[in-house]
């Protein structure tokens, strides 16, 4: 169980680290956009859209990594004082009844939307915008896959805690 989780975790961290490299270009794009707009009084649609593309790609890659590192949002009022097994029960139930259905619903609703976009090679509605909207929309499916894989590893690790009463070796 833990061997499978380790393999998935390595893939999740690798994807996260690769896509985290887009943080610097994202900051530079935001800076360039602000300079062009407020200093030089001009703007470029493609520059504004590039910020959205970069942000979407970063969010896709880092969601699974955040789950793996246990840095996701959680209401810790009672969770922080619970035993390891009780935390594992909460995590398993939350994963099975909240996260997994969310991912399935997002995949199910996004797939036709993305397929339509690819079929028509959808581009920006703006004349000088980025012509690859279909690639941007594909990020929704990539999000489901990457977070779904991280969810499987997370669930395997929590099931290990439930069965053995102790954390894994990694």
């Amino acid at each position: 169980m833990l061997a499978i989780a380790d393999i998935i975790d390595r893939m999740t961290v690798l994807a996260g680290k690769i896509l985290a490299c887009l943080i610097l270009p994202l900051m530079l794009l935001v800076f360039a956009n602000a300079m062009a707009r407020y200093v030089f009084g001009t703007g470029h649609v493609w520059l504004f859209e590039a910020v959205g593309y970069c942000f979407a790609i970063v969010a896709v890659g880092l969601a699974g990594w955040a789950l793996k590192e246990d840095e996701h949002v959680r209401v810790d009022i009672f969770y922080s004082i619970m035993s390891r097994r009780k935390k594992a029960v909460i995590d398993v139930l939350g994963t099975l009844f909240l996260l997994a259905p969310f991912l399935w619903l997002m995949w199910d609703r996004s797939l036709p939307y993305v397929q339509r976009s690819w079929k028509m090679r959808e581009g920006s509605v703006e004349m000088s915008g980025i012509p690859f909207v279909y690639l941007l929309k594909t990020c929704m499916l990539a999000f489901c896959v990457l977070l779904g894989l991280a969810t499987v590893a997370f669930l395997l690790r929590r099931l290990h805690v439930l069965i053995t009463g102790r954390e894994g070796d990694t």
Side-chain angles (χ1 to χ4, degrees):
M1 215 169 12
L2 291 180
I4 294 168
D6 286 341
I7 292 167
I8 295 171
D9 283 346
R10 280 195 291 277
M11 292 185 326
T12 299
V13 169
L14 179 64
K17 285 182 177 182
I18 289 170
L19 294 173
C21 292
L22 288 176
I23 295 287
L24 181 60
L26 175 60
M27 290 179 354
L28 293 173
L29 286 168
V30 170
F31 178 75
N33 198 16
M35 290 296 289
R37 187 171 182 183
Y38 296 110
V39 175
F40 300 110
T42 184
H44 301 284
V45 173
W46 61 267
L47 185 59
F48 181 76
E49 288 183 358
V51 170
Y53 276 63
C54 251
F55 182 75
I57 294 167
V58 166
V60 161
L62 299 184
W65 194 13
L67 179 63
K68 186 255 179 236
E69 297 296 328
D70 206 24
E71 294 292 332
H72 55 286
V73 175
R74 177 184 290 138
V75 179
D76 276 344
I77 297 170
F78 301 110
Y79 185 87
S80 61
I81 59 172
M82 291 180 172
S83 70
R84 194 175 286 142
R85 273 205 164 112
K86 285 181 183 175
K87 287 179 181 181
V89 168
I90 297 294
D91 289 339
V92 167
L93 293 175
T95 300
L96 292 177
F97 294 110
L98 298 172
L99 184 54
F102 164 76
L103 287 172
W104 169 251
L105 186 64
M106 185 164 174
W107 176 271
D108 186 57
R109 299 295 183 234
S110 299
L111 186 59
Y113 180 67
V114 173
Q115 286 172 328
R116 240 184 341 269
S117 186
W118 271 87
K119 214 176 269 185
M120 58 191 265
R121 294 285 193 252
E122 185 177 5
S124 176
V125 294
E126 300 295 331
M127 181 78 99
S128 61
I130 298 174
F132 305 111
V133 172
Y134 57 97
L135 292 175
L136 182 63
K137 288 183 178 182
T138 304
C139 286
M140 291 184 292
L141 299 178
F143 173 83
C144 292
V145 169
L146 290 172
L147 186 54
L149 284 171
T151 300
V152 168
F154 182 78
L155 190 58
L156 289 173
R157 290 194 186 284
R158 294 321 183 259
L159 288 172
H160 176 77
V161 171
L162 277 178
I163 293 166
T164 67
R166 58 188 164 77
E167 296 288 332
D169 298 322
T170 57

